[in-house]
Amino acid sequence: EKMKRAFKERRDYLVAEMNKIDGISASMPQGAFYVMMNIKELYGKTICGQVIDSADKFAELFLEHAKVAVVPGTGFGADGYVRWSYATSMENIKEGLDRLEKFIG
């Protein structure tokens, strides 16, 4: 029960905070330990001198420049999305979100 509450808190926090950031969004997942973040509004924008034209490009640049690893949705048939795990600490989630805001800001 304790871990169930912890995962719910992390999931709810991650989705709520993502939905506050311009250019991205996320829906509440019904299972698993990850959130699919919609990045379609970022397509065509230049970040770190490169145009975001796919989830793969976003994930590559995010890892290289912000040191945050996400999984492109392309392999799941969901280009335009990247997958974030919340099977980590709340501290790591908050740090990742801070890096995300700086990266796309």
Side-chain angles (χ1 to χ4, degrees):
E1 280 303 308
K2 182 179 178 183
M3 286 311 299
K4 230 170 120 175
R5 284 191 304 274
F7 284 125
K8 181 183 182 316
E9 178 186 2
R10 294 172 195 169
R11 180 201 66 194
D12 293 353
Y13 178 83
L14 186 56
V15 170
E17 292 302 308
M18 284 178 173
N19 285 320
K20 292 178 184 176
I21 301 171
D22 287 336
I24 62 165
S25 62
S27 298
M28 191 64 69
Q30 298 304 305
F33 296 100
Y34 57 85
V35 171
M36 296 298 282
M37 182 176 79
N38 183 333
I39 61 165
K40 292 176 186 175
E41 286 187 40
L42 298 178
Y43 281 17
K45 294 189 179 187
T46 301
I47 298 178
C48 299
Q50 296 193 44
V51 175
I52 303 299
D53 60 1
S54 68
D56 297 285
K57 176 57 76 176
F58 178 90
E60 172 190 335
L61 293 174
F62 196 31
L63 178 59
E64 181 181 342
H65 295 281
K67 307 300 184 222
V68 177
V70 293
V71 179
T74 314
F76 307 102
D79 191 32
Y81 293 84
V82 294
R83 187 173 84 169
W84 284 64
S85 173
Y86 57 89
T88 186
S89 70
M90 184 64 88
E91 181 180 313
N92 286 341
I93 291 168
K94 289 178 179 180
E95 179 67 25
L97 288 167
D98 287 345
R99 291 180 186 197
L100 174 65
E101 285 191 273
K102 289 175 187 164
F103 177 70
I104 64 175

